[in-house]
Amino acid sequence: NVASSWLYNSAYAENASNSRRASPRTGNQAMHGLFNYSAQETTAVFEANRVYTFSIWAQNDEILNDTNGLFMYIFDGTVPFSDANSLASGLFTAINARQPGMTAAQSQANWTQVSVSHTVGPGAPEIGRPIGVGFFARRDTSVDDATLTSVVPEPTTVVLAGLGGVTILAWRKRR
């Protein structure tokens, strides 16, 4: 696997001669799948007790076996990027497909947002290390507007997750 800067296709802007090419969701560029991994280390670092979410807007150009879909990753930026080294990953194939003859406005309304998340607990080894994000867009998938966000989980969510764990333990002891 090769890590690189984001791979943009500068000729990607809306092109009337290719009716299957998705119109960029915002601005005038998006990336079309190149069968390459695209990964980068951000300037942000992992902090304890936070949930990190990497999101991308995607759209398939056509539905062909094994040519559409998007793999997404969050990884420790100090470790060489690979599928095996990711802290969170996901494969997304249920992405809206651009239909031939769609207008630019229809294409822009057709984008699907997909996300992967990673929760950093107290004492996690990645704390203080740079956050890495990456993706692999298959040949017939287009991506645009990638974002990385982080939030502190609400105390209610943490309490409910803890209660769920206690309930499972009590249930297992009874069996």
Side-chain angles (χ1 to χ4, degrees), residues 138-174:
R138 290 179 171 165
R139 181 173 57 90
D140 289 325
T141 299
S142 303
V143 296
D144 204 359
D145 297 334
T147 58
L148 175 67
T149 58
S150 72
V151 297
V152 175
E154 295 180 23
T156 308
T157 305
V158 174
V159 170
L160 288 174
L163 287 174
V166 170
T167 304
I168 289 170
L169 287 174
W171 178 74
R172 290 177 87 186
K173 283 184 178 181
R174 286 187 197 145

Side-chain angles (χ1 to χ4, degrees), residues 50 85 115 121:
R50 295 191 76 79
N85 290 341
S115 303

Side-chain angles (χ1 to χ4, degrees), residues 11 17 47 49 52 54 80-81 83 91 112 128 136 139 145 162 172:
S17 67
E47 296 177 33
N49 304 313
Y52 294 87
F54 177 44
F81 168 70
D83 288 340
L91 165 61
T112 304
F136 177 89
R139 181 173 57 90
D145 297 334
R172 290 177 87 186

Side-chain angles (χ1 to χ4, degrees), residues 82-150:
S82 72
D83 288 340
N85 290 341
S86 66
L87 300 170
S89 64
L91 165 61
F92 303 92
T93 56
I95 298 170
N96 292 335
R98 179 177 165 91
Q99 302 301 312
M102 274 186 166
T103 65
Q106 290 169 323
S107 175
Q108 288 173 349
N110 198 48
W111 289 90
T112 304
Q113 188 177 34
V114 292
S115 303
V116 293
S117 294
H118 174 64
T119 302
V120 179
E126 64 271 20
I127 293 172
R129 295 181 179 176
I131 302 168
V133 292
F135 62 89
F136 177 89
R138 290 179 171 165
R139 181 173 57 90
D140 289 325
T141 299
S142 303
V143 296
D144 204 359
D145 297 334
T147 58
L148 175 67
T149 58
S150 72

Side-chain angles (χ1 to χ4, degrees), residues 6-49:
W6 295 124
L7 301 172
Y8 283 101
N9 179 347
S10 61
Y12 187 83
E14 181 66 18
N15 179 351
S17 67
N18 184 347
S19 65
R20 290 184 302 202
R21 178 172 283 171
S23 176
R25 198 181 85 80
T26 60
N28 64 3
Q29 283 188 349
M31 188 185 107
H32 191 69
L34 300 171
F35 269 133
N36 287 314
Y37 283 89
S38 187
Q40 71 180 31
E41 178 183 311
T42 70
T43 57
V45 296
F46 288 108
E47 296 177 33
N49 304 313

